[in-house]
Amino acid sequence: MRVEPPVPPDVLAAVRAPFAALGATSIDPPVVQPLGLILDLSGEAMRERLILAQADGGPEAALRPDFTIPAARLHIESGRAGGRYFYEGKAFRAAPRGREAYEEFLQIGVEAFETGAAPAADAEIVGLAWRAAAAGGRGDLTMVLGDVGLFAAFVDTLKLAEPLAARIKRSFASPRRLRETLEAAERAPAANERPAGDRLSALLVGLPEAEAAAVLQDLWALAGIEPAGGRSAAEIVHRLAERAAVERSPDLTPEQASLIGRFLAIADAPAVALEAVARLAGPGGAKLEAALDGWARRLEALEAEGAPAERFRFSTAFGRDFGYYDGMLFEVRSAALGDHRPVAAGGRYDGLFARLGANLACGAVGCMVRPGRAWREGAQ
């Protein structure tokens, strides 16, 4: 396992200092987390980055790839309406292909679960992450901003069939899949060119989901199959039903695919990029107008935070591998390290509590910094 070298104590203290000023509750979530839950909430893009663990005969688990989901679970268990949580500890991920197999690294971060205006809270967290990252001593930092919700609001203006719109929105977290979808639509394939599902899938999607899940479990038992990968029969059946609904819905037209492609090509200074989005969408679309208004307020708040606007860039195509984000996103990057090794990152994920089965009225936004990358002498 590749372990980052220790960061000098003075650098670590400097990176930690902006977080310490928040007065957040300190937490240390369990290192081992349920695999199925991590996959459901983080998304399939994270599957190859997870390090799996399983006791003899026990459920499949994963070493925590980050702290957001564990922090949200701890907050639900606390019974509190809101709160801020500070963490400092190790996270674990399988390295991207071509690098050493596993990574163990230190993260420092905060998760804020509060009511109030999202743009102001977002700006506070972005400013916090910038200050903490810059405290490591690097002078080549830049910030990339994005917004999952803005993409979803733009897709809504296209008036797609609901199953197709939902699939397009989900694919934002997987750029390769989204690109393939757009390219296929621009080739305007005939409906009869769609791949047919296998006979078992056709049987299962023709049944009520609870009944289909029971059938699948019976088939596994008859065949002596032990399901792997963290997916239950109910989850598999639900995904098959969603896929079948998409296949029955109208195709994405070449014109719609082209508009989405033009949206995803926008990347510029934040105010300039957001103006380009408004021009592309045209009038109408209440959700999109609300999202753009939110960004106007967010940028004003960022300026008040003292963030260096000349180092910020907004990219409509920017996303992160963690599928639970549903709003503003960001990464602090170093020119020396490259775009794929961010120094700090975070975003908004208001929908996570509902996906965890909790009925909480608070929003959710957080960030993390990797001190080993913030340190200007570091080579991670």
Side-chain angles (χ1 to χ4, degrees):
M1 179 174 288
R2 181 178 184 272
V3 181
E4 287 183 335
V7 178
D10 59 328
V11 175
L12 192 58
V15 173
R16 187 188 298 121
F19 293 98
L22 291 177
T25 301
S26 182
I27 58 172
D28 184 18
V31 169
V32 178
Q33 297 288 318
L35 175 60
L37 186 67
I38 297 295
L39 284 175
D40 280 345
L41 300 176
S42 294
E44 289 295 330
M46 277 301 297
R47 178 183 286 273
E48 64 180 19
R49 302 297 308 277
L50 297 176
I51 300 176
L52 306 186
Q54 185 176 24
D56 186 22
E60 290 184 295
L63 302 187
R64 63 187 181 206
D66 83 330
F67 284 77
T68 300
I69 294 172
R73 295 178 69 199
L74 287 176
H75 179 63
I76 293 171
E77 292 170 5
S78 76
R80 300 170 61 191
R84 291 186 171 192
Y85 300 90
F86 167 81
Y87 60 82
E88 180 175 338
K90 295 292 184 70
F92 308 85
R93 294 179 203 163
R97 294 177 184 176
R99 296 174 60 188
E100 193 170 334
Y102 303 108
E103 292 181 309
E104 174 186 321
F105 52 89
L106 180 65
Q107 282 191 352
I108 297 177
V110 68
E111 309 297 335
F113 307 134
E114 301 167 322
T115 58
D122 292 348
E124 180 187 14
I125 293 297
V126 172
L128 168 68
W130 177 267
R131 292 191 299 276
R138 292 190 182 275
D140 62 347
L141 299 180
T142 57
M143 173 82 75
V144 59
L145 297 162
D147 190 345
V148 180
L150 187 67
F151 176 73
F154 179 79
V155 169
D156 285 342
T157 68
L158 303 179
K159 308 299 182 185
L160 305 178
E162 182 54 36
L164 178 59
R167 180 167 68 93
I168 296 295
K169 292 174 186 178
R170 283 198 306 270
S171 65
F172 184 78
S174 177
R176 179 185 59 80
R177 186 190 312 161
L178 180 56
R179 183 176 63 253
E180 290 173 352
T181 299
L182 299 181
E183 289 174 351
E186 289 175 344
R187 292 194 299 268
N192 60 11
E193 292 178 2
R194 290 180 176 183
D198 59 54
R199 295 172 65 183
L200 176 59
S201 297
L203 169 65
L204 293 174
V205 299
L207 299 172
E209 287 194 20
E211 185 176 341
V215 170
L216 184 56
Q217 287 176 323
D218 288 343
L219 290 172
W220 283 344
L222 288 171
I225 295 173
E226 287 290 336
R231 295 292 186 200
S232 68
E235 291 165 336
I236 292 170
V237 166
H238 183 68
R239 287 180 178 271
L240 287 173
E242 287 182 330
R243 185 182 304 166
V246 169
E247 291 177 351
R248 291 193 299 267
S249 68
D251 287 311
L252 193 67
T253 68
E255 293 77 15
Q256 292 164 339
S258 176
L259 280 171
I260 295 173
R262 288 167 61 191
F263 173 90
L264 294 171
I266 296 172
D268 212 318
V272 176
L274 293 165
E275 183 179 341
V277 170
R279 288 198 306 269
L280 179 63
K287 288 184 179 178
L288 183 63
E289 291 176 1
L292 292 171
D293 178 67
W295 269 103
R297 289 181 284 130
R298 193 172 284 113
L299 294 178
E300 288 179 3
L302 269 173
E303 185 176 353
E305 286 281 330
E310 69 279 4
R311 296 199 183 189
F312 285 25
R313 185 175 181 83
F314 190 98
S315 170
T316 51
F318 170 61
R320 305 198 66 227
D321 286 342
F322 296 95
Y324 47 73
Y325 288 115
D326 52 22
M328 178 274 308
L329 299 163
F330 70 91
E331 284 184 356
V332 179
R333 297 173 174 175
S334 160
L337 298 178
D339 292 350
H340 299 294
R341 290 186 289 176
V343 174
R348 178 160 289 275
Y349 49 98
D350 289 345
L352 181 58
F353 287 123
R355 295 176 67 187
L356 285 166
N359 183 21
L360 295 179
C362 59
V365 62
C367 68
M368 72 85 194
V369 178
R370 288 183 57 166
R373 290 178 176 174
W375 180 29
R376 66 180 177 185
E377 300 299 329
Q380 291 71 47

